Amino acid sequence: MSVVKKKRITYRTWINLYFIIMSITFILPFLLIVSASLTNEDILAKEGFKIIPPFIDWTGYKFVFSNVGEILRAYAITTFQAFFGTFLSVLVMTLCAYPLSRKDFKFRKPITFFVFFTMLFNGGLIPTYLLNYKYLHLGNTIWIYILPTLCSAFYIIIFRTFFQGLPISLVESAKLDGASEIRIFFQIILPLSKPVLATVALLTLLTKWNDWYTSLIYITDSHLYTLQFLLKRILQEVEFLRYMANNTPPGIDLSYLEDMPVETLKFAMCIIAAGPMLLVFPFFQKYFAKGLTVGSVKG
């Protein structure tokens, strides 16, 4: 075996070893969270985290799903606003970015400047709240999760940069064949833009799925709570009850509240909240790396 070949094998071995170690550092915390969510509260407090729990305890999950109807409703609200909101958001942003990528568009520069300007300055929380709640009347409606975050200036610029990297000859030849701009966009541009579409869609989906702040600010109707906000409220209620059990004056017996899970409940909530996204990610993975890099080649 030649020296060069030996060096290549050694190099590949070290590279593979490095990625194996990196994979373990990502997988191990997740396994610990799953294990902690299935561990008894007392054992977790006394013995700490273990990859394999001594025995399976479903107390944390039972407590979360004690009101199944409420959880399922929150799942439905979160799923609708996340997936439908992501679809609308990507559609609107690509429709905005495509004309900005065309050099023959007359108002390309002023509109691009306007879009970029909104990345640097915004109205702030109070004007945004007044606009959405008082004037647009979006408070306590499902549309508060979708319409105010429909566009992101940063993602529009990413789309525009990616579209600029596509061969303009495709558009010109399609025009010669009599294709309209709408047909060119949907039948030529979008099919060639799968990497950036998948990347932005995934990032938008994750943002919307993990959103709890919108419910905190704009929603008072419990039927419109997102999953993240509902889980946060459940955890706060459990922590409050445990505090009351540990700090009650003499003569009041609240000892039964001391058995309520807190730590295992936190980890069970992590799995419940993150589970659907873990199933969705593999479908975007093959486009993810390419979508992050290709759009950054041109400015």
Side-chain angles (χ1 to χ4, degrees), residues 162-196:
F162 187 91
F163 293 156
Q164 284 177 340
L166 298 177
I168 191 64
S169 57
L170 293 174
V171 177
E172 293 172 351
S173 60
K175 279 188 173 182
L176 291 175
D177 291 336
S180 63
E181 291 288 355
I182 292 293
R183 187 173 182 181
I184 292 171
F185 175 72
F186 282 104
Q187 294 189 357
I188 297 177
I189 301 300
L190 289 187
L192 294 174
S193 305
K194 288 180 181 178
V196 71

Side-chain angles (χ1 to χ4, degrees), residues 52-119:
I52 300 176
F55 61 91
I56 302 298
D57 188 339
W58 298 94
T59 304
Y61 291 95
K62 287 179 181 178
F63 195 90
V64 174
F65 288 101
S66 57
N67 191 342
V68 179
E70 198 172 24
I71 293 293
L72 292 179
R73 184 169 59 243
Y75 255 119
I77 292 292
T78 302
T79 302
F80 174 78
Q81 65 91 10
F83 285 89
F84 183 67
T86 298
F87 170 76
L88 279 184
S89 184
V90 170
L91 178 63
V92 171
M93 288 190 292
T94 51
L95 285 171
C96 176
Y98 176 61
L100 299 180
S101 69
R102 296 281 299 274
K103 292 183 180 180
D104 55 347
F105 179 48
K106 184 178 179 181
F107 301 104
R108 174 172 168 258
K109 289 186 177 180
I111 295 177
T112 301
F113 173 77
F114 177 79
V115 171
F116 178 73
F117 186 82
T118 62
M119 288 178 60

